Amino acid sequence: MSRQDDRSPAERAAELRAALHHHAHRYYVLDEPEIPDAEYDRLFQELQAIEEAHPELRTPDSPTQRVLGRVLDGFTPVRHAVPMLSIRTETDTEDSGAVAFDARVRRELGLAADAPPIAYACELKFDGLAINLRYEHGVLVQAATRGDGETGEDVTQNLRTVNQIPLRLAGCDAPVLEVRGEVYIRRDDFEVLNERQRELIAQGHKNEKTFVNPRNAAAGAVRQLDPAIAAKRPLSFFAYGLGEVQGWDQPATHSKTMDALEAMGLPVNRERQVVKGADGLVEYHRAIGARRDALPFDIDGVVYKVDDLALQRRLGFVTREPRWAVAHKYPAQEQMTVVRDIDIQVGRTGKLTPVAKLEPVFVGGTTVSNATLHNEDETRRKDVRIGDTVIVRRAGDVIPEVVGVVLERRPAEVSAPFDLYQRLKGRCPVCGSDIVREEGEADWRCTGGLFCAAQRKQAILHFAQRRAMDIEGLGDKLVEQLVDHGIVRTLPELYKLGVAKLVELERMGEKSAVNLIAGLEKSKQTTLARFLYSLGVRHVGEATAKDLARHFGSLDRVLDASIAQLLEVPDVGPIVAQSIRTFFDQPHNREVVEQLRAAGITWAEHDGEADRTPKPLAGQTFVLTGTLPTLSREEAKELIEAAGGKVAGSVSKKTHCVVAGAEAGSKLDKARELGVMVIDEQGLRALLERV
Ligand code: IVH
């Protein structure tokens, strides 16, 4: 954009201000920017430069004047021209709450039963902080909190930093227009804010803290004495009403008034809706309730307002509440309660999760007495201790969680900061095995995979799967029953199962029982790689198990391998080596391995590294696609691996060869695209025979 210098600085400044107001509205309120951020910055800087050179051109509504205050000692009281009232809250969260409001309104208006339904303006009840914005001749001159309704506090300099709040109204220069609404923080902004706070705390900023919820963070920001800090808090705003009005022709309904405010550039929430009668209210309450968790900000209910302002006037007020409006709540998603204890649960995979045992509390529609603390870091970050009063949140179907501690309520004799290792004395609470926390991981884990009762089902299913011991007939449901009835507690006990015990189980006929026993018998003849994989050592997948088997050649050598020796295995790094060592260092795991061997599991052992079968495909990666004429996927894979090759799931530049069968799909296309060699089953067999 070229600058036309025949215009005076005053004209150019006015033009820039108008452009910046327009683009700020598009960006912050409508979320539909028309120009790139860099262009906005350029216009902004041009205006700043003009104002530097001509300070007399600076106006209070200039976009450059958003952050201009100094640190305050306190806030100045503001007497509201029109009191800021609150509304009656319907605590009955069911449909009947809406029906009761409509009945009350009709009764107070003296309407006959057959009179037409009343039109209501329905809105969300934002969970933030009420604010009065005073515009004089279209320019924002003051922002005040609600206070006691009569007198609030002057928070103008903080609210000026909220980009969504226009410093000048579009197309309105009424002498006085007070706009009322809610300042709040969006959930995503809240997460970012807390993340930043955590970083500050980690950097040693002692006065910083994380916020328990968006409402508290918003309230803190509005009442922040340093406007520079307030400016860094991601506040948003929705208008929902008016205060004092002079010289503005207000439309005849609340909904039209909101439309007019929206046209002036104020943010007004789009979920508002005009409905008819009690049925309309109920429908709105239900519809919003169903979407509550998907909204980008917290609400604690909806608000119904009689739409017609003439009717509003007829209804008037009782004490300090209008008769024409009501807040209809949803069940609270957050409640305060006390932490009685912190338990540590062992998951199916051995993950240790700290769980707060709570004084039971009704939240999110159910009574909650346990809430997850996720992991040790999270517990320390929130500094949750036994005896603390905490805020518990249960939103939708999500498991209840502790969002934060109410530090003001911390008793003098509170327990020490949470330390998972110390708490458990380093032992799994279920099986007594060592617990470990690997570098870079958030979770502590039990290492007693084969022995730990908490991990039994998972361990057995893993052991039995096709790629492991391949025990035919031992599926999900059966494992569930065997463990729940206490028939199988450890893997070796599988091999002690008899038909008589099995037929007692649900849906287990004699034939299935006999088949299972046969499946178990058959599984005993396996390979070292399969056996190693079946143990479920953390980080030891199929490929690593094969590498280990190939490298060490015998189980005893694997069991006794030092970290240094393990590191010699291709693709085994320090974390995997440590995990293998820790696993076999647990006497319980060792015992299980011995019992399995004693049960008759065998494989052909190699003596040491003397695996002398030819390896024509050593170091080559293959990808299988489509259906081969005689070999199954599994068989082809085994042949390739036996010849020293690897089989990968997808084609890349590193793939040596793609083996394609009938109906090969995208992998074949990809191979052609990358120029990777493509062969068929016959070609594969030829490669395998080439010694
Ligand atoms: S109307 C005279 N509309 O709820 C009526 N209030 O007691 C004035 N609130 O703290 C309020 N969303 O800040 C109204 N859509 C909405 C609202 C709303 C949230 C808050 C308000 C006040 C409380 C009402």
Side-chain angles (χ1 to χ4, degrees):
M1 200 194 287
S2 76
R3 217 176 301 166
Q4 301 270 299
D5 284 339
D6 50 351
R7 267 170 303 180
S8 71
E11 280 171 333
R12 179 63 185 156
E15 194 176 275
L16 286 167
R17 272 199 295 275
L20 288 165
H21 280 313
H22 170 77
H23 291 303
H25 179 245
R26 302 279 322 181
Y27 185 89
Y28 293 109
V29 180
L30 303 180
D31 203 10
E32 286 166 1
E34 288 170 343
I35 56 170
D37 295 2
E39 178 61 10
Y40 182 89
D41 293 345
R42 207 194 58 70
L43 297 175
F44 191 90
Q45 282 155 16
E46 190 188 337
L47 179 61
Q48 254 179 340
I50 298 177
E51 289 176 345
E52 285 282 312
H54 309 275
E56 74 283 0
L57 295 179
R58 224 170 243 154
T59 60
D61 70 330
S62 171
T64 61
Q65 304 299 293
R66 283 209 182 261
V67 187
L68 84 172
R70 59 190 168 81
V71 180
L72 302 176
D73 299 327
F75 295 105
T76 316
V78 173
R79 201 168 167 78
H80 298 298
V82 175
M84 287 182 79
L85 304 179
S86 59
I87 38 180
R88 180 190 162 117
T89 299
E90 184 54 75
T91 45
D92 173 357
T93 60
E94 305 288 315
D95 293 351
S96 37
V99 176
F101 172 64
D102 178 60
R104 225 165 30 236
V105 168
R106 293 179 71 87
R107 193 176 56 241
E108 274 151 14
L109 288 171
L111 295 183
D114 58 354
I118 293 177
Y120 294 104
C122 300
E123 296 172 352
L124 305 181
K125 186 169 189 295
F126 313 107
D127 201 6
L129 203 71
I131 290 288
N132 184 68
L133 301 175
R134 186 174 172 94
Y135 289 88
E136 290 180 4
H137 303 286
V139 176
L140 178 70
V141 295
Q142 187 182 64
T145 60
R146 177 167 177 270
D148 63 2
E150 297 290 337
T151 308
E153 288 176 322
D154 186 333
V155 289
T156 314
Q157 62 173 8
N158 289 344
L159 272 285
R160 291 178 68 88
T161 68
V162 180
N163 286 306
Q164 282 196 336
I165 296 180
L167 297 176
R168 161 176 285 282
L169 297 176
C172 171
D173 52 10
V176 177
L177 182 69
E178 287 189 353
V179 177
R180 290 183 175 169
E182 199 89 347
V183 172
Y184 68 96
I185 292 184
R186 289 168 53 100
R187 288 184 189 139
D188 52 357
D189 286 337
F190 174 74
E191 294 306 326
V192 173
L193 172 65
N194 257 356
E195 191 51 48
R196 202 170 66 206
Q197 291 301 107
R198 281 195 278 272
E199 276 165 25
L200 289 175
I201 296 165
Q203 287 161 15
H205 295 261
K206 294 236 158 39
N207 295 329
E208 299 293 343
K209 57 164 195 167
T210 54
F211 301 98
V212 291
N213 58 34
R215 212 200 89 81
N216 281 18
V222 168
R223 299 196 70 258
Q224 171 57 244
L225 291 167
D226 182 349
I229 297 180
K232 289 191 188 142
R233 302 281 159 81
L235 294 172
S236 296
F237 178 81
F238 279 128
Y240 57 62
L242 295 177
E244 190 188 6
V245 177
Q246 282 180 31
W248 184 59
D249 219 0
Q250 193 185 342
T253 62
H254 177 78
S255 53
K256 291 257 163 26
T257 306
M258 292 300 110
D259 295 345
L261 294 185
E262 187 170 27
M264 290 177 200
L266 284 153
V268 185
N269 185 259
R270 293 282 169 89
E271 303 284 348
R272 67 185 187 279
Q273 203 180 322
V274 179
V275 305
K276 289 256 161 73
D279 292 347
L281 297 178
V282 166
E283 209 176 302
Y284 185 80
H285 186 254
R286 283 193 194 163
I288 297 294
R291 297 188 27 235
R292 180 184 186 189
D293 296 322
L295 292 172
F297 44 82
D298 286 350
I299 60 167
D300 56 350
V302 290
V303 178
Y304 312 134
K305 299 170 182 173
V306 171
D307 197 30
D308 185 337
L309 299 185
L311 286 185
Q312 283 193 8
R313 278 189 288 274
R314 259 176 67 193
L315 284 158
F317 298 81
V318 244
T319 56
R320 317 211 31 81
E321 292 169 355
R323 282 201 190 88
W324 44 263
V326 78
H328 193 190
K329 295 260 209 175
Y330 292 116
Q333 292 178 322
E334 287 188 1
Q335 288 292 355
M336 275 204 297
T337 187
V338 174
V339 177
R340 284 176 174 169
D341 201 359
I342 299 179
D343 258 13
I344 290 139
Q345 285 179 359
V346 190
R348 282 167 59 90
T349 60
K351 175 177 173 253
L352 301 170
T353 306
V355 176
K357 298 275 151 188
L358 307 167
E359 205 58 64
V361 63
F362 192 75
V363 56
T366 52
T367 301
V368 167
S369 43
N370 296 310
T372 182
L373 290 163
H374 300 293
N375 54 48
E376 182 177 49
D377 287 353
E378 194 71 12
T379 314
R380 287 217 198 138
R381 193 146 66 203
K382 291 176 180 159
D383 192 17
V384 180
R385 309 193 196 181
I386 298 165
D388 266 336
T389 296
V390 291
I391 293 171
V392 181
R393 183 176 173 86
R394 181 181 178 276
D397 293 330
V398 183
I399 49 168
E401 63 164 351
V402 170
V403 285
V405 175
V406 186
L407 281 178
E408 301 83 70
R409 298 212 180 186
R410 172 164 285 174
E413 272 152 43
V414 75
S415 64
F418 181 70
D419 183 324
L420 193 144
Y421 189 87
Q422 216 174 43
R423 188 71 204 279
L424 295 180
K425 303 200 169 55
R427 308 242 157 255
C428 168
V430 173
C431 74
S433 299
D434 290 343
I435 62 168
V436 290
R437 181 175 165 179
E438 288 169 9
E439 214 181 298
E441 297 246 341
D443 298 312
W444 284 92
R445 291 181 176 277
C446 162
T447 55
L450 296 182
F451 177 75
C452 184
Q455 300 170 66
R456 247 170 226 165
K457 288 179 189 170
Q458 174 96 350
I460 296 173
L461 278 171
H462 178 83
F463 183 81
Q465 66 171 298
R466 204 166 51 82
R467 294 157 175 285
M469 298 299 284
D470 193 14
I471 305 175
E472 236 165 277
L474 188 57
D476 241 342
K477 296 259 156 43
L478 185 53
V479 168
E480 193 96 347
Q481 288 195 65
L482 290 172
V483 173
D484 291 346
H485 288 80
I487 299 172
V488 172
R489 280 160 303 152
T490 66
L491 294 176
E493 283 178 4
L494 281 173
Y495 291 99
K496 299 204 177 104
L497 282 173
V499 175
K501 235 283 86 46
L502 285 171
V503 291
E504 287 171 20
L505 296 173
E506 237 176 87
R507 276 177 307 185
M508 177 58 81
E510 202 176 286
K511 188 148 176 268
S512 318
V514 170
N515 284 345
L516 176 62
I517 305 289
L520 280 159
E521 237 4 85
K522 193 167 149 228
S523 76
K524 287 182 181 171
Q525 188 56 49
T526 184
T527 66
L528 175 56
R530 277 174 177 268
F531 182 71
L532 286 172
Y533 174 60
S534 75
L535 298 177
V537 183
R538 195 160 151 75
H539 301 304
V540 177
E542 259 185 301
T544 306
K546 281 177 183 159
D547 286 342
L548 288 169
R550 202 172 294 147
H551 185 87
F552 291 106
S554 88
L555 178 62
D556 289 321
R557 285 175 196 239
V558 180
L559 294 182
D560 296 333
S562 66
I563 299 262
Q565 287 166 332
L566 287 164
L567 285 170
E568 285 169 17
V569 180
D571 291 337
V572 169
I575 290 185
V576 183
Q578 184 58 58
S579 169
I580 297 169
R581 202 51 271 144
T582 311
F583 184 91
F584 290 121
D585 280 344
Q586 304 303 310
H588 291 313
N589 289 341
R590 213 63 192 224
E591 211 170 297
V592 171
V593 170
E594 289 315 328
Q595 286 169 357
L596 286 170
R597 268 212 276 208
I601 292 176
T602 54
W603 52 85
E605 296 226 346
H606 304 293
D607 49 0
E609 293 185 41
D611 180 1
R612 299 195 205 290
T613 45
K615 298 274 178 271
L617 305 184
Q620 298 188 21
T621 306
F622 287 73
V623 171
L624 301 167
T625 179
T627 313
L628 301 178
T630 71
L631 291 172
S632 72
R633 273 277 167 107
E634 206 51 39
E635 285 163 347
K637 187 171 176 211
E638 274 172 16
L639 286 174
I640 292 170
E641 284 173 349
K646 285 201 171 182
V647 175
S650 61
V651 182
S652 75
K653 272 190 276 185
K654 291 193 186 142
T655 311
H656 289 90
C657 184
V658 169
V659 185
E663 279 155 52
S666 60
K667 288 180 192 169
L668 182 57
D669 299 340
K670 182 84 191 225
R672 297 218 166 104
E673 191 186 310
L674 295 174
V676 172
M677 174 168 56
V678 178
I679 56 173
D680 59 8
E681 182 179 316
Q682 222 185 341
L684 175 65
R685 289 190 186 277
L687 281 181
L688 290 168
E689 277 155 22
R690 205 174 58 189
V691 184

